[in-house]
Amino acid sequence: MALALTVGVLIGGGVFMMLRRGMVRLIIGFVLLSHGVNLLIMAAGGVDRRGEPLGYSPDPATTADPLPQAFVLTAIVIAFAITMYMLVLAVTGDDDDDTDLELTGREMETPDLMDDRTAGAGTHPGAPGGPDPVGTSPERDPGRGGRA
């Protein structure tokens, strides 16, 4: 019961952190998720129900299956390599994950599409209560890449 709860908390916390903004939170989420999955694989291998995989008398009825342990060992090595690669990307990468932006209102949805006229007013063309969007759609304006 405690192992299932631990696996659930690790995987849930990992998914939650991976959905947050920022590279460091993504890395922490990946580490939590990989630990949770490794515990899940070990629990599925039946380690608590059987003895060690290689013992004095390897009886198949009492010997644990070594395959889940080999999978977990391989997964640990791969997760470590991916974590180091993501840490290098976080350190050497650009500061473009836009976590420092302090936007409010509709600017949060499309910060690149906002122009100077609508950014100050807090309204967006086509938004309810915003300016009239007639003549501003790409289909009607040939200068914006639409049809004539």
Side-chain angles (χ1 to χ4, degrees), residues 106 123-131:
R106 298 206 42 102
T123 58
H124 183 65

Side-chain angles (χ1 to χ4, degrees), residues 25-107:
R25 291 182 184 101
L26 177 77
I27 294 168
I28 292 171
F30 177 76
V31 169
L32 289 175
L33 187 69
S34 66
H35 287 327
V37 170
N38 288 342
L39 280 176
L40 182 67
I41 293 172
M42 286 298 288
V47 176
D48 60 341
R49 295 185 303 265
R50 298 179 184 175
E52 62 274 352
L54 299 173
Y56 179 73
S57 62
D59 182 24
T62 60
T63 304
D65 187 12
L67 194 59
Q69 296 174 18
F71 284 155
V72 168
L73 183 62
T74 306
I76 289 171
V77 172
I78 292 171
F80 179 72
I82 291 174
T83 303
M84 289 301 117
Y85 182 69
M86 288 194 308
L87 282 173
V88 167
L89 287 179
V91 169
T92 61
D94 295 333
D95 294 332
D96 64 346
D97 62 353
D98 71 4
T99 56
D100 297 332
L101 290 178
E102 300 272 338
L103 298 177
T104 58
R106 298 206 42 102
E107 295 92 10

